[in-house]
Amino acid sequence: MNKQKIVIIGAGIVGASVAYHLAKRNQDVTVIERHPAAAREVTDKSFAWIHTTHKVAPEYWHLYDAALEQYHALQQELPELKIHWHGALTWGTPTLREQPHFQKLNREQLEALEPNLQEYPDEAMFVSEEGAVDPIGVTELLLSKAREYGAKVQFDTNVTQLQQEDSRLVGVHTSKGFLESDVLVLAAGTSIPELCNPLGCPVPVTSSPSILIQMKTPNKLIRTLISNAQFEARQLTDHTLLAAEDYIDESEENGPEAVGRRAFDTLRRSLKDGNQLELESIKVGMRPMPEDGYPIVGFQDHIKGLYLAVMHSAITLAPLIARLAASEIIEREPRGELDHCRLSRF
């Protein structure tokens, strides 16, 4: 196996996952991150639901179907990895992709499963296999393990320019000097178009803002992950509750602060002992959103040595896609599972 110099830009969940899988397979890996620590962009502000029942196009079903299996495999490899396999409970929201393991629960079953709700629907859907993670914790763990396999991580390092010679990418200029590369992996989320445009390689990715609300709670109020028309919430820890909301705009009545406070008020009303909740933070995450909503992964056709890895649903898909990407980068053979993820589809 040839040992390649691989530079990864971005130390969020995607970059950390790719670094882990490459370093584990004896590649010379360097991760560059502009922040002083990992997972400080969108990963830090992720609701972190391992959500495999999205309504997605059939050609992407296999990725979501394999995502859970990959997380279980990762947990076998890394016993320190904490995944809350508490299941997801949904009602009053857009239809999910039907799965054989869906359970329809009646009001009595819902009361037993989630005893702290003030009101219950007549029926809800429960997917026991789904779960959630601490997004910073899992990213830091993957980077730590990559380092144990020999990967290097440079924090507080800004990328200034990608260096191209003829049709090959040969390295990257940073605030700490030049780094030579055989392969450059772009896992920098919404920054990818800005890095690629000077190469004449447009990547159709825009920012899709989301709002994460964190609350302190004296005890555990939610057992599963709950998604309904009123709120989307889960326990991060026994004393920390997370809620997620869609970004609306920057106006006073619909800005992130107003949306976050409304979500906080909704949970206080919706949960028994909800009046004991304390608002800790309201954060906006700029999720990278490919133009059609699906991952863009693979070598760029016209610039040798440039590999793209950008996706929405990164918490769900990153461990799986990173393993497949590592295989493509090392073996230089395309993986059929990623055929529908290529930039060339645009």
Side-chain angles (χ1 to χ4, degrees):
M1 183 196 301
N2 289 333
K3 191 165 186 171
Q4 302 177 89
K5 286 184 182 174
I6 301 169
V7 176
I8 300 168
I9 300 177
I13 182 68
V14 177
S17 298
V18 174
Y20 169 71
H21 283 287
L22 286 170
K24 190 172 68 164
R25 295 184 61 180
N26 196 38
Q27 299 301 295
D28 181 350
V29 176
T30 302
V31 181
I32 300 172
E33 171 57 52
R34 65 181 179 176
H35 291 283
R40 290 303 183 262
E41 283 282 351
V42 69
T43 300
D44 169 41
K45 301 159 189 79
S46 170
F47 190 53
W49 181 0
I50 303 171
H51 189 344
T52 60
T53 47
H54 286 78
K55 201 79 171 172
V56 297
E59 56 266 35
Y60 296 95
W61 284 354
H62 65 285
L63 293 175
Y64 287 88
D65 290 342
L68 282 180
E69 188 182 328
Q70 182 62 43
Y71 262 108
H72 284 294
L74 200 57
Q75 214 169 13
Q76 290 289 317
E77 289 175 30
L78 307 175
E80 315 96 305
L81 176 59
K82 291 182 174 61
I83 305 176
H84 306 287
W85 295 114
H86 43 37
L89 191 60
T90 61
W91 69 89
T93 58
T95 311
L96 302 175
R97 182 165 63 94
E98 283 288 347
Q99 294 285 299
H101 51 260
F102 274 25
Q103 294 173 262
K104 282 188 179 175
L105 303 185
N106 60 30
R107 184 187 292 259
E108 187 180 337
Q109 291 169 310
L110 293 171
E111 288 181 17
L113 185 63
E114 286 289 2
N116 293 318
L117 296 179
Q118 294 281 19
E119 295 180 359
Y120 294 89
D122 292 329
E123 186 179 83
M125 199 70 74
F126 183 54
V127 186
S128 61
E129 287 81 358
E130 293 191 339
V133 293
D134 172 352
I136 298 177
V138 68
T139 303
E140 288 179 339
L141 176 62
L142 288 166
L143 269 188
S144 168
K145 293 299 177 182
R147 278 174 148 158
E148 287 180 18
Y149 284 115
K152 299 172 284 293
V153 182
Q154 294 185 7
F155 292 116
D156 288 316
T157 304
N158 288 306
V159 172
T160 54
Q161 185 188 348
L162 307 185
Q163 182 64 47
Q164 184 180 1
E165 290 181 6
D166 299 322
S167 62
R168 173 172 286 283
L169 208 58
V170 295
V172 55
H173 294 276
T174 78
S175 54
K176 294 182 178 175
F178 180 73
L179 276 173
E180 186 184 346
S181 66
D182 297 311
V183 178
L184 182 73
V185 179
L186 284 187
T190 55
S191 300
I192 288 178
E194 183 185 347
L195 290 169
C196 287
N197 284 341
L199 304 175
C201 168
V203 180
V205 171
T206 55
S207 297
S208 173
S210 63
I211 302 170
L212 187 72
I213 305 99
Q214 185 165 309
M215 291 151 271
K216 192 184 293 182
T217 171
N219 45 53
K220 193 170 184 177
L221 297 179
I222 295 177
R223 294 180 179 179
T224 65
L225 182 152
I226 300 177
S227 177
N228 60 42
Q230 282 74 47
F231 64 87
E232 191 168 272
R234 70 179 183 93
Q235 296 278 162
L236 178 64
T237 69
D238 284 353
H239 300 288
T240 306
L241 193 70
L242 294 180
E245 288 290 333
D246 289 330
Y247 176 91
I248 302 176
D249 56 41
E250 287 292 335
S251 66
E252 191 172 335
E253 67 274 14
N254 284 323
E257 186 72 19
V259 169
R261 288 194 169 275
R262 285 200 292 269
F264 172 62
D265 290 339
T266 297
L267 280 160
R268 282 172 65 88
R269 291 192 307 270
S270 301
L271 297 170
K272 292 170 186 170
D273 293 330
N275 60 340
Q276 296 181 37
L277 287 173
E278 295 177 41
L279 183 60
E280 285 195 310
S281 65
I282 298 168
K283 300 177 184 174
V284 178
M286 304 304 279
R287 298 172 298 190
M289 185 65 74
E291 190 175 279
D292 60 1
Y294 297 112
I296 300 174
V297 186
F299 281 107
Q300 210 281 340
D301 290 342
H302 307 297
I303 303 170
K304 294 188 176 101
L306 176 59
Y307 195 95
L308 302 172
V310 58
M311 65 206 75
H312 177 48
S313 299
I315 293 291
T316 298
L317 295 175
L320 171 69
I321 286 182
R323 179 177 62 78
L324 298 171
S327 171
E328 290 195 326
I329 290 166
I330 294 167
E331 295 157 17
R332 297 302 175 104
E333 289 288 336
R335 294 292 301 243
E337 300 98 316
L338 296 175
D339 280 352
H340 292 283
C341 298
R342 307 308 185 191
L343 178 63
S344 56
R345 72 181 184 270
F346 295 102

